[in-house]
Amino acid sequence: MKYTKLGNSELNVSRICMGCMGFGDPGRGQHSWTVDEEHTREIIRRGLELGVNFYDTAIAYQSGTSEQYVGRALRDFATREDVVVATKFLPRTQEEIEDGITGQQHIENMINTSLQNLGMDYVDLYIYHMWDWQTPVYDIMDGLNRIVKEGKARYIGISNCFAWQIAKANALAEKEGFAKFVSIQGHYNLIFREEEREMVPYCKEENIALTPYSALASGRLSRVPGDGETKRAREDAYAKFKYDSTAKQDNVIIARVAELAKKHDVTMTEVSLAWLLTKVTSPVVGATKLSHIEGAAKAVDLILTPEEILFLEEPYVPHPLAGVMAQNKPANTKEKHVWSTGDQKIR
């Protein structure tokens, strides 16, 4: 495994981050395909053996059971100081807003619940999961700064935002002397490269770490279409929602991934992640089997030539925004984003 600094922080992270959305009680959340605690522990233990020290979860994953499984496994198999733990908080609910719960109070409540779930005194990276249009940016940044000062989070990150949003938030933080975002977790992979419009160059300029999710496009970049269908492939309606409408154009790229994998005698996972590793700090790679994290770890050692990178990139065409980012707009707006194909719901 190789390691690098996470943006403008002192965190030394593995080039692969284990995404923990696939861990948790399948009866207690939005996904039916998550794995139980026994298998979670096996996968995390294997990740630690392979040198993965960066683990990403969220309070939203399976009603907090992902945090609980991850916390117990890391406490049993690792020394706290040797791992980098990231979790995320959700926007205020309408009920909280009506009850007068401020953004600062909401963040305090969220971090306390996550720490309880994890069984930890602090997290290394606390991530703003999605933009909260009903809460002032000042309240968010003030609330995050307070938990950093309290020692409950060492650094803060953001997910699912536009470049102007992180720029605005960090400018306010700099003005007020608050903690600034050191990382961005956006939707970025070989068949969805819209982050390259503004986010990638912005982060390069500001030394903000890119830690993208959906690094393998919910498994689409790890196998040829129709080959080895998984439980997630059958049941993950959200992933189908994000990718099925562009499958024809994406399959051209996927075929090239398969071609290079055969040439190098490696898996498609290794080729897809090797490409992404030329662009970002540490991709978040979900794992629900031992082979998933083993393949991801191998990708760190695969070096693609400039010609091979161009071969993979050349067929790409612009994609409409999908998933959470398609909904990153005020709830009462009637305007559709230039890249939006319609009313796309968060599921």
Side-chain angles (χ1 to χ4, degrees):
M1 183 54 61
K2 297 176 183 177
Y3 302 86
T4 188
K5 290 291 184 186
L6 188 78
N8 293 308
S9 79
E10 292 302 315
L11 300 175
N12 198 38
V13 299
S14 50
R15 293 299 312 280
I16 296 295
C17 174
M18 184 181 290
C20 301
M21 186 175 73
F23 304 151
D25 184 342
R28 294 187 56 193
Q30 66 188 119
H31 301 304
S32 61
W33 45 267
T34 56
V35 299
D36 61 23
E37 186 162 11
E38 179 183 355
H39 289 94
T40 294
R41 291 171 67 84
E42 291 177 356
I43 294 165
I44 289 177
R45 189 169 192 170
R46 183 61 178 141
L48 291 165
E49 291 171 352
L50 293 167
V52 175
N53 76 340
F54 191 10
Y55 294 82
D56 174 87
T57 183
I59 197 170
Y61 297 162
Q62 303 305 101
S63 302
T65 58
S66 172
E67 288 181 324
Q68 293 166 14
Y69 291 5
V70 170
R72 285 194 285 264
L74 291 177
R75 291 200 307 275
D76 287 347
F77 301 141
T79 301
R80 179 65 186 91
E81 293 74 20
D82 293 339
V83 290
V84 174
V85 179
T87 194
K88 313 179 195 73
F89 69 97
L90 292 166
R92 286 189 301 167
T93 64
Q94 195 60 42
E95 183 180 10
E96 285 178 303
I97 293 171
E98 292 171 359
D99 288 345
I101 302 298
T102 67
Q104 292 92 330
Q105 291 171 320
H106 170 73
I107 290 171
E108 184 75 24
N109 294 338
M110 287 267 103
I111 188 66
N112 288 342
T113 302
S114 285
L115 292 177
Q116 183 177 12
N117 284 339
L118 290 162
M120 296 178 180
D121 296 326
Y122 68 93
V123 293
D124 299 280
L125 184 66
Y126 199 45
I127 301 172
Y128 186 14
H129 206 154
M130 58 194 70
W131 196 261
D132 184 351
W133 285 92
Q134 299 188 85
T135 302
V137 179
Y138 181 94
D139 291 1
I140 296 292
M141 302 310 291
D142 181 32
L144 287 170
N145 187 63
R146 292 183 187 194
I147 65 169
V148 170
K149 290 178 69 175
E150 291 170 4
K152 295 179 179 179
R154 294 178 66 191
Y155 297 96
I156 60 171
I158 190 169
S159 182
N160 295 303
C161 72
F162 293 111
W164 72 262
Q165 290 172 320
I166 185 174
K168 177 179 180 177
N170 272 356
L172 185 149
E174 184 166 350
K175 176 185 175 183
E176 300 292 338
F178 295 160
K180 297 167 68 174
F181 293 125
V182 300
S183 66
I184 167 68
Q185 189 177 129
H187 182 191
Y188 186 25
N189 58 53
L190 189 51
I191 60 173
F192 193 90
R193 292 168 48 199
E194 300 310 303
E195 290 286 80
E196 293 176 4
R197 295 175 183 269
E198 292 193 0
M199 186 63 78
V200 171
Y202 169 75
C203 288
K204 183 177 181 180
E205 177 72 16
E206 298 293 323
N207 193 34
I208 295 171
L210 290 157
T211 62
Y213 64 82
S214 202
L216 291 169
S218 301
R220 284 155 179 77
L221 285 163
S222 66
R223 60 183 181 274
V224 295
D227 182 30
E229 189 177 77
T230 65
K231 181 177 175 66
R232 179 176 184 180
R234 291 192 303 271
E235 299 180 7
D236 193 338
Y238 185 47
K240 291 178 181 179
F241 168 72
K242 287 195 296 184
Y243 294 110
D244 281 7
S245 65
T246 58
K248 184 176 180 180
Q249 64 200 54
D250 295 342
N251 285 346
V252 176
I253 298 171
I254 292 170
R256 294 194 177 197
V257 172
E259 184 178 335
L260 282 187
K262 184 176 181 180
K263 172 186 172 183
H264 286 279
D265 192 25
V266 298
T267 64
M268 292 175 63
T269 290
E270 290 168 68
V271 172
S272 298
L273 292 179
W275 174 84
L276 191 55
L277 283 163
T278 68
K279 314 288 184 178
V280 308
T281 303
S282 183
V284 178
V285 183
T288 53
K289 296 179 181 178
L290 293 176
S291 60
H292 293 166
I293 192 58
E294 289 167 348
K298 289 178 182 176
V300 173
D301 296 319
L302 177 61
I303 305 299
L304 300 175
T305 67
E307 292 76 20
E308 289 171 334
I309 291 172
L310 181 62
F311 176 71
L312 292 172
E313 294 179 348
E314 186 270 333
Y316 186 79
V317 297
H319 281 49
L321 293 181
V324 179
M325 283 301 291
Q327 289 296 302
N328 188 353
K329 55 189 176 183
N332 61 355
T333 186
K334 295 182 179 180
E335 296 181 4
K336 286 184 169 57
H337 196 281
V338 66
W339 296 319
S340 176
T341 56
D343 293 327
Q344 302 177 331
K345 304 292 185 184
I346 299 173
R347 302 181 184 179

